[in-house]
Amino acid sequence: MNKRNLVIITLAAVSMTFFYMIVELSFKADVSKGLVFAIFLVFAVFFALYFIFALPILVYLQRKIGDRDYSLKYFVAFLGGSFLIHFLVNPVLNEYQAPFVTPLWYIYVVSTALFIWLWDSAKVKVFA
């Protein structure tokens, strides 16, 4: 793992956190005072999931494929990983609801894969 991969995962987690908060809060009329804590908690969850599951896929693809500029192979690999992780994690986080029931599940599957793919394909430079 290098610094660039850590930056990519952090940016993907931040992007997914804001996307998740916008989607979830758009259905609620009132916003609680614990919003700041909720944002940090959601970021920590997404960062941990990206770190545990997306980072190995990212490192493997960088070694085996190498071509990362908006490669469709990368997106399909991230989409497959995202599908698998959401399939395993969603029932636990959503009160054992079946994952294929809501259209929101598909939106989250595609968006988690899309954010890591976009940030990986972008020319992220790390100075240090």
Side-chain angles (χ1 to χ4, degrees), residues 36-107:
V36 174
F37 177 72
I39 289 172
F40 285 117
L41 184 63
V42 169
F43 170 75
V45 168
F46 280 121
F47 183 81
L49 289 174
Y50 274 125
F51 189 81
I52 293 169
F53 298 110
L55 184 63
I57 295 171
L58 183 65
V59 171
Y60 175 78
L61 290 174
Q62 288 172 352
R63 288 185 184 158
K64 293 294 180 188
I65 297 176
D67 179 31
R68 67 166 24 128
D69 293 340
Y70 302 100
S71 172
L72 191 57
K73 293 176 190 176
Y74 268 54
F75 182 67
V76 170
F78 287 130
L79 193 60
S82 177
F83 179 85
L84 179 66
I85 299 309
H86 279 278
F87 182 75
L88 296 174
V89 172
N90 185 59
V92 175
L93 295 179
N94 289 326
E95 300 162 355
Y96 297 100
Q97 180 183 10
F100 302 107
V101 174
T102 63
L104 198 57
W105 184 80
Y106 296 102
I107 292 171

Side-chain angles (χ1 to χ4, degrees), residues 8-24:
I8 288 169
I9 288 185
T10 304
L11 291 171
V14 166
S15 301
M16 191 61 206
T17 299
F18 283 115
F19 178 75
Y20 178 81
M21 295 304 282
I22 288 169
V23 169
E24 291 297 320

